Amino acid sequence: MYQSQHDPLSPEKHIFDRAIALKQQPDGNWQGHTSIDYANMIGPFGGMTAATALQALLIQPERLGDPVALTVNFAGPVRDGAFEVRVRMLRSSRTTQHWSVEIVQGDDCVINAIAVFALRRPTWSETEIVMPEVAPADTLPLVGNMMGVSWPQCYDMRFARGGLRGVDGIGDNPDSLTQLWINDKPPRPLDFASLTAICDAFFPRLFSRRAQLVPIGTISLNIHFHADAATLAQQGSAPVLGVAQGQIYNLGFSDQVAQVWSAQGQLLATSQQAVWFKE
Amino acid sequence: MYQSQHDPLSPEKHIFDRAIALKQQPDGNWQGHTSIDYANMIGPFGGMTAATALQALLIQPERLGDPVALTVNFAGPVRDGAFEVRVRMLRSSRTTQHWSVEIVQGDDCVINAIAVFALRRPTWSETEIVMPEVAPADTLPLVGNMMGVSWPQCYDMRFARGGLRGVDGIGDNPDSLTQLWINDKPPRPLDFASLTAICDAFFPRLFSRRAQLVPIGTISLNIHFHADAATLAQQGSAPVLGVAQGQIYNLGFSDQVAQVWSAQGQLLATSQQAVWFKE
């Protein structure tokens, strides 16, 4: 297990913490840098960019409570290299805060995100959807190199159902429903930033559904968080169960929903994602 | 059927068009006014505020194509009266645009919204989720006055399943799953603005689930659109089928998902909504 260090770019830090590290600039904005560890086919893994947008809020001294809702719109391709993060607090009450985050490279806005934070308090509680019954993580095979890109190597992924069509010998999928155990590799205690990245770690449902690999790109990722920081910390570095399924593919965009469960059956996050695709 | 008029505030206009009407100010921002027709218990129906945020983008001369994704965060209570809408285009390509919308009253940000627009083009197409089989709208009873508030009177709603617990004699619900036919009253041709409002017209799932009416408020509404303007126009003013269900209620916030289907079985929009609740 990696330990937190004072210097976020220290080589002793976990690769995830180095990837989301931000440094404040004289003008008050924040500077980050894409991580080669989390590289995608072109540019960085979108989940890491989304996690960085959330991280920019988590480190604000005025930040109140925990994230409740985060929407990250991917405005353009993120180029490998440095980027600037601009944060604005639009509204704050005693219990709720509204934020805006833009990530820019040069003159280009690459991320347009908004978020709600809140002090979470015990209330009537119920989970209406049901966690699927799947084989335990340690009984399932570890996924090897996927699609020749770097970022999946930063996760321990074990598919209980679904997968990439034509990859790993899983074969055809009658639908895009995927159930997989996932955690950071090397292990790292779960927090809101890593949970955000995990919400984007489901491959585009199109790749699970169709044999043909067409150009795709996430255009909007919406995440609702259902646990507080203490509950996430209790998960330690155990794998979480991700469940993802496409709803529709039409006119160049598809829509997928996902749920992330703790091994103990607690629903930690739900998400909805819009993905651009070609052909 | 109401016809479009030049003056958006003309009494001949549909109440919906009057409610979303915006007038440009000398500083370039837009001014609107809450509608008494769409009043909620306190302030306006949130769906109408979300529709107004989208309308502010739809009327931009630089606007490209159709909305693909819209997220509306409700930053604070909207007071009855005038409000100002501030629109920014953050990025534009040949096929995609990214926007930000803030609605303010005095010094208070009340809406923090972002959206993606795109030119939609024919591609491989499939709908993976299935439209539920329900009784046709005209065989189901029209819902009468609900909860004594104004905005439900602006809709023709007919429940095929679920409803408000303890209201309308529907009785207890084992879960929060609701299926209802809904359209504007008086009838109005469907468009992106009215579809946005409909995505918020499902009562909070907590009210469908529990007998106890507790204070609630939508905090974040995320919508993905799956049809282009021409397809929506083809719906005319026929009712659409809304399907909504809660996923979790925990630590003061709940999460609900919804789908909106045309009577012909086309999935028009999907949404995810976070709702604050007390106790």
Side-chain angles (χ1 to χ4, degrees), chain A residues 251-274:
Chain A
L251 297 173
F253 291 88
S254 72
D255 181 38
Q256 65 189 66
V257 291
Q259 301 89 38
V260 179
W261 301 84
S262 77
Q264 289 73 41
Q266 181 159 4
L267 185 57
L268 303 176
T270 50
S271 84
Q272 183 180 17
Q273 175 167 162

Side-chain angles (χ1 to χ4, degrees), chain B residues 171-268:
Chain B
D172 284 9
N173 291 319
D175 56 50
S176 72
L177 177 62
T178 287
Q179 300 164 339
L180 84 160
W181 292 105
I182 180 168
N183 59 341
D184 288 300
K185 186 169 69 177
R188 177 184 177 278
L190 190 68
D191 57 20
F192 287 109
S194 63
L195 182 55
T196 295
I198 285 172
C199 283
D200 193 42
F202 311 107
F203 295 90
R205 300 296 85 203
L206 213 58
F207 288 179
S208 185
R209 190 67 195 271
R210 295 171 79 192
Q212 190 185 356
L213 290 180
V214 295
I216 63 97
T218 297
I219 195 96
S220 183
L221 172 65
N222 187 67
I223 301 173
H224 294 168
F225 299 98
H226 305 299
D228 55 18
T231 304
L232 291 193
Q234 285 164 13
Q235 308 305 314
S237 56
V240 292
L241 181 70
V243 179
Q245 183 158 20
Q247 299 198 110
I248 184 172
Y249 318 82
N250 193 39
L251 297 173
F253 291 88
S254 72
D255 180 39
Q256 65 189 64
V257 291
Q259 302 89 37
V260 179
W261 301 85
S262 77
Q264 289 73 40
Q266 182 159 5
L267 185 56
L268 303 176

Side-chain angles (χ1 to χ4, degrees), chain B:
Chain B
M1 186 74 61
Y2 283 73
Q3 293 302 311
S4 187
Q5 302 289 328
H6 180 68
D7 177 5
L9 297 177
S10 153
E12 288 78 36
K13 279 292 255 189
H14 192 284
I15 49 172
F16 185 90
D17 293 288
R18 279 186 275 150
I20 60 170
L22 295 169
K23 194 175 169 188
Q24 195 156 26
Q25 302 300 296
D27 65 1
N29 292 319
W30 299 79
Q31 191 183 67
H33 198 285
T34 59
S35 157
I36 196 164
D37 297 311
Y38 290 89
N40 209 340
M41 283 194 225
I42 302 169
F45 162 48
M48 188 51 65
T49 311
T52 305
L54 184 67
Q55 177 68 4
L57 301 178
L58 289 164
I59 59 178
Q60 297 299 315
E62 311 91 326
R63 187 255 301 177
L64 181 80
D66 294 323
V68 170
L70 171 70
T71 308
V72 179
N73 287 357
F74 295 82
V78 179
R79 296 182 298 277
D80 292 323
F83 52 80
E84 184 178 288
V85 186
R86 299 173 185 168
V87 169
R88 285 187 305 143
M89 186 172 67
L90 282 89
R91 185 90 186 247
S92 185
S93 73
R94 283 177 300 119
T95 57
T96 313
Q97 274 181 341
H98 288 263
W99 295 87
S100 164
V101 182
E102 290 168 31
I103 301 184
V104 296
Q105 287 186 313
D107 291 334
D108 295 332
C109 171
V110 294
I111 292 289
N112 184 24
I114 56 177
V116 183
F117 279 64
L119 285 176
R120 306 212 52 167
R121 296 187 172 123
T123 53
W124 182 79
S125 176
E126 183 149 320
T127 304
E128 190 163 320
I129 56 172
V130 177
M131 184 182 184
E133 289 184 26
V134 301
D138 57 11
T139 66
L140 295 166
L142 180 65
V143 170
N145 186 3
M146 290 181 90
M147 305 181 68
V149 294
S150 180
W151 74 263
Q153 308 298 319
C154 302
Y155 289 99
D156 182 308
M157 293 197 229
R158 297 160 193 266
F159 284 88
R161 186 188 194 282
L164 291 185
R165 189 177 162 163
V167 182
D168 308 319
I170 291 171
D172 284 9
N173 291 319
D175 56 50
S176 72
L177 177 62
T178 287
Q179 300 164 339
L180 84 160
W181 292 105
I182 180 168
N183 59 341
D184 288 300
K185 186 169 69 177
R188 177 184 177 278
L190 190 68
D191 57 20
F192 287 109
S194 63
L195 182 55
T196 295
I198 285 172
C199 283
D200 193 42
F202 311 107
F203 295 90
R205 300 296 85 203
L206 213 58
F207 288 179
S208 185
R209 190 67 195 271
R210 295 171 79 192
Q212 190 185 356
L213 290 180
V214 295
I216 63 97
T218 297
I219 195 96
S220 183
L221 172 65
N222 187 67
I223 301 173
H224 294 168
F225 299 98
H226 305 299
D228 55 18
T231 304
L232 291 193
Q234 285 164 13
Q235 308 305 314
S237 56
V240 292
L241 181 70
V243 179
Q245 183 158 20
Q247 299 198 110
I248 184 172
Y249 318 82
N250 193 39
L251 297 173
F253 291 88
S254 72
D255 180 39
Q256 65 189 64
V257 291
Q259 302 89 37
V260 179
W261 301 85
S262 77
Q264 289 73 40
Q266 182 159 5
L267 185 56
L268 303 176
T270 50
S271 84
Q272 183 180 18
Q273 174 166 162
V275 177
W276 166 85
F277 70 96
K278 197 173 176 181
E279 293 169 22

Side-chain angles (χ1 to χ4, degrees), chain A residues 135-150:
Chain A
D138 57 12
T139 67
L140 295 167
L142 179 66
V143 170
N145 186 3
M146 291 180 90
M147 308 180 67
V149 294
S150 181

